[in-house]
């Protein structure tokens, strides 16, 4: 019985390498496209989640307030809204030893760059109060509530029976964009 000493020829080896290269290239391309699609979908979901959480939080602040004002950029230096919480003054004076009424306060929400900030501040006189935002002291990490915000508007509508605020903002992360808007009515409007 003759021994067969034939192995793989050079031509067979080159053909096997070429077929393997085509299969590996196609698999790599498929996995790369799947990873890219996953990243885009994940970015879109992250934007939607963050914007819905922000809108819900802003809505709670607006509904808990008594008055909302749009910030004048020429005075405050930024675009945004101020939500005032002004306690009702009792018609009867407090008896001795009773707790003092709450002080008025405001929550300011503004956009700077691609970030949304908020800060709660005490208010001495709500009728004459003005808001001034300092980039150095107010635009800090502890006041940051949203990143990737490219536009923010709060439009006050006081013509209806109950005052309302239309809030809208745009967000962008990578190539993904998302816009959300809602209108909130103030529950505790002072008359």
């Amino acid at each position: 019985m003759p021994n067969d000493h034939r192995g793989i020829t050079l031509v067979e080896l080159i053909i096997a390498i070429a077929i393997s290269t085509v299969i590996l290239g196609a698999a790599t391309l498929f996995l790369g496209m799947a990873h890219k699609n996953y990243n885009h979908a994940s970015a879109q979901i992250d934007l939607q989640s963050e914007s819905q959480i922000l809108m819900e939080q802003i809505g709670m602040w607006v509904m808990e307030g008594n008055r909302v004002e749009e910030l004048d950029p020429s005075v405050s230096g930024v675009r945004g809204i101020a939500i005032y919480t002004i306690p009702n003054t009792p018609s009867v004076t407090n008896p001795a030893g009773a707790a003092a009424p709450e002080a008025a306060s405001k929550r300011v929400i503004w956009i700077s760059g691609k970030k949304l900030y908020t800060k709660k501040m005490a208010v001495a006189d709500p009728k004459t109060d003005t808001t001034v935002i300092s980039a150095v002291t107010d635009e800090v990490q502890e006041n940051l509530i949203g990143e990737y915000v490219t536009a923010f508007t709060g439009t006050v509508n006081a013509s209806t029976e109950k005052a309302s605020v239309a809030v809208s903002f745009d967000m962008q992360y990578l190539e993904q964009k998302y816009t959300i808007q809602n209108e909130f009515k103030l529950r505790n409007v002072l008359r």
Side-chain angles (χ1 to χ4, degrees):
M1 190 166 196
N3 287 340
D4 189 10
H5 293 292
R6 293 186 331 166
I8 309 174
T9 64
L10 182 60
V11 173
E12 291 172 335
L13 182 62
I14 291 173
I15 291 172
I17 291 173
I19 291 172
S20 298
T21 303
V22 168
I23 291 172
L24 286 175
T28 303
L29 181 66
F30 175 75
L31 289 174
M33 288 175 51
H35 187 263
K36 183 178 177 181
N37 288 340
Y38 172 79
N39 285 340
H40 283 283
S42 179
Q44 184 70 23
I45 290 169
D46 289 347
L47 278 182
Q48 289 176 2
S49 297
E50 184 173 346
S51 64
Q52 289 169 358
I53 290 168
L54 276 173
M55 186 63 78
E56 189 174 312
Q57 184 64 57
I58 292 170
M60 284 185 357
W61 290 328
V62 168
M63 289 186 284
E64 291 172 356
N66 305 93
R67 184 176 89 209
V68 178
E69 293 180 357
E70 296 175 38
L71 297 179
D72 181 1
S74 64
V75 175
S76 65
V78 293
R79 302 183 62 80
I81 57 175
I83 305 165
Y84 288 84
T85 304
I86 306 165
N88 288 328
T89 54
S91 57
V92 180
T93 58
N94 285 344
E102 287 183 46
S105 65
K106 69 179 172 183
R107 177 172 296 280
V108 181
I109 303 170
W110 74 95
I111 185 169
S112 179
K114 288 191 172 186
K115 296 181 178 183
L116 194 64
Y117 295 93
T118 186
K119 184 175 182 181
K120 191 168 185 176
M121 304 174 185
V123 175
D125 184 6
K127 293 178 184 175
T128 60
D129 182 61
T130 59
T131 302
V132 178
I133 299 297
S134 166
V136 175
T137 59
D138 296 327
E139 293 176 4
V140 293
Q141 186 68 30
E142 66 188 42
N143 294 339
L144 179 67
I145 58 171
E147 293 185 292
Y148 317 117
V149 179
T150 57
F152 173 77
T153 57
T155 308
V156 179
N157 181 5
S159 64
T160 59
E161 181 180 315
K162 282 231 178 212
S164 65
V165 180
V167 175
S168 171
F169 53 88
D170 300 335
M171 299 184 79
Q172 181 176 357
Y173 179 66
L174 300 175
E175 292 92 33
Q176 302 300 316
K177 295 180 181 180
Y178 190 72
T179 300
I180 189 168
Q181 54 191 2
N182 206 341
E183 185 169 352
F184 303 101
K185 294 187 185 217
L186 276 73
R187 293 182 188 162
N188 307 312
V189 178
L190 292 177
R191 299 279 178 209

